[in-house]
């Protein structure tokens, strides 16, 4: 999987970040209202996504990855928030979860993203026939 090349080159990352655009839901623990976003990238130490609302650095949020069954949920700490043209870039570090869980979560996200991209390239298929499904 390709590394995220949009990150500054002077930023020495400990873990490889993988580009993805899968959905994620989040809510601040104290507010309770859930928001939806799309991931920019993910690694075993954290992730980034774009949000229509700013999040204060140091805020603990709950992240939900509805792209898998069961849904992955994990707490995260907002480590940066940057104003962009019409939204905010949010960087989140994973907290309170062991490395095995984080590795599994990243692998599931990468697998789903790979499958989704393959389906976009080849279109839907009929199971068992080896032929493409007809879409009218």
């Amino acid at each position: 999987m390709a590394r995220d090349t949009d990150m500054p080159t002077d930023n020495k990352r400990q873990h490889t970040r993988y580009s993805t655009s899968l959905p994620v839901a989040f809510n601040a623990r104290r507010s309770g209202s859930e928001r939806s976003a799309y991931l920019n990238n993910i690694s075993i130490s954290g992730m980034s996504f774009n949000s229509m609302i700013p999040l204060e650095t140091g805020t603990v949020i709950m992240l939900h990855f509805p792209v898998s069954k069961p849904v992955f949920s994990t707490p995260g700490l907002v480590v940066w928030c940057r104003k962009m043209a019409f939204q905010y870039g949010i960087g989140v570090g994973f907290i309170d979860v062991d490395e095995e869980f984080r590795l599994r979560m990243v692998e599931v996200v990468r697998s789903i993203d790979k499958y989704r991209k393959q389906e976009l390239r080849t279109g839907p298929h009929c199971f068992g026939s080896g032929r493409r499904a007809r879409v009218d």
Side-chain angles (χ1 to χ4, degrees):
M1 191 60 69
R3 287 182 67 123
D4 183 10
T5 56
D6 294 334
M7 303 310 282
T9 56
D10 61 338
N11 191 349
K12 305 291 187 229
R13 297 215 178 263
Q14 183 178 1
H15 300 103
T16 301
R17 291 208 174 244
Y18 300 98
S19 296
T20 183
S21 60
L22 292 178
V24 64
F26 66 94
N27 62 309
R29 285 184 169 175
R30 61 181 176 234
S31 76
S33 65
E34 189 167 273
R35 305 278 181 157
S36 296
Y38 287 91
L39 294 174
N40 293 322
N41 59 54
I42 190 167
S43 78
I44 66 167
S45 61
M47 57 181 251
S48 74
F49 60 88
N50 293 343
S51 171
M52 297 306 290
I53 61 165
L55 295 173
E56 189 174 325
T57 300
T59 300
V60 174
I61 61 175
M62 201 62 193
L63 301 158
H64 309 283
F65 298 87
V67 295
S68 67
K69 298 288 183 202
V71 172
F72 279 109
S73 293
T74 187
L77 179 69
V78 177
V79 293
W80 54 264
C81 177
R82 296 184 185 121
K83 175 75 171 127
M84 298 164 51
F86 299 104
Q87 53 194 342
Y88 298 86
I90 310 290
V92 176
F94 298 130
I95 57 174
D96 298 335
V97 290
D98 63 31
E99 186 171 351
E100 184 178 329
F101 176 86
R102 290 180 282 146
L103 282 167
R104 195 171 121 234
M105 180 175 55
V106 170
E107 285 305 311
V108 167
V109 168
R110 290 180 63 200
S111 294
I112 292 168
D113 193 49
K114 180 179 176 183
Y115 175 78
R116 184 180 62 95
K117 287 176 181 173
Q118 179 182 338
E119 285 297 303
L120 287 173
R121 280 193 307 268
T122 62
H125 291 84
C126 291
F127 292 104
S129 71
R131 296 182 317 188
R132 283 188 170 181
R134 184 175 176 172
V135 180
D136 293 323

